[in-house]
């Protein structure tokens, strides 16, 4: 299961991570987000110990969604060394997300 990322733990979990980090910006009311959710959960299992994979509910945690210009959801951002190095807006197949992490490992 993907980590729950919040405004309160974002800096520690995402920006200070020594591993690549994938963050799924989503909301419960968003239909396409419900399609991406299980993919992100699979990725979190596949990359356990190699990358940090989490979800951030944009309704409850607006600070970092705004900071990174997330206007459409689902949006998945890839971070390395505290910087955004990848962005996928909308639903994509699992290999799109996996390839983004593989490029950083």
């Amino acid at each position: 299961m993907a980590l729950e990322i919040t405004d309160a733990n974002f800096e520690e979990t995402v920006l200070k991570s020594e591993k690549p980090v994938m963050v799924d910006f989503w909301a419960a009311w968003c239909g396409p987000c419900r399609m991406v959710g299980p993919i992100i959960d699979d990725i979190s299992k596949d990359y356990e110990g190699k990358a940090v994979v989490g979800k951030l509910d944009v309704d409850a945690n607006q600070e970092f969604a705004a900071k990174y210009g997330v206007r459409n959801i689902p949006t998945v951002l890839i971070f390395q060394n505290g910087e955004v190095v990848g962005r996928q807006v909308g639903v994509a197949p699992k290999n799109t997300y996996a390839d983004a992490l593989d490029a950083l490992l």
Side-chain angles (χ1 to χ4, degrees):
M1 191 84 184
L3 287 173
E4 181 181 350
I5 297 174
T6 65
D7 285 346
N9 70 10
F10 192 94
E11 187 171 333
E12 191 65 37
T13 305
V14 178
L15 302 181
K16 293 184 178 177
S17 175
E18 294 181 5
K19 297 175 184 166
V21 183
M22 175 178 284
V23 182
D24 173 21
F25 291 81
W26 71 286
W29 50 263
C30 165
C33 297
R34 290 195 296 272
M35 293 167 55
V36 171
I39 296 170
I40 298 301
D41 286 338
D42 282 351
I43 296 272
S44 73
K45 291 177 200 138
D46 295 347
Y47 288 84
E48 191 170 349
K50 296 185 278 186
V52 176
V53 179
K55 299 178 182 181
L56 183 141
D57 181 340
V58 297
D59 286 338
N61 302 281
Q62 298 176 1
E63 178 185 349
F64 287 96
K67 179 176 179 176
Y68 291 104
V70 174
R71 290 184 179 84
N72 299 303
I73 53 173
T75 292
V76 174
L77 298 182
I78 309 288
F79 292 82
Q80 187 168 40
N81 301 320
E83 299 291 324
V84 175
V85 296
R87 176 183 294 255
Q88 173 64 45
V89 180
V91 178
K94 181 179 176 179
N95 67 309
T96 300
Y97 304 109
D99 290 348
L101 285 177
D102 287 341
L104 302 175
L105 297 174

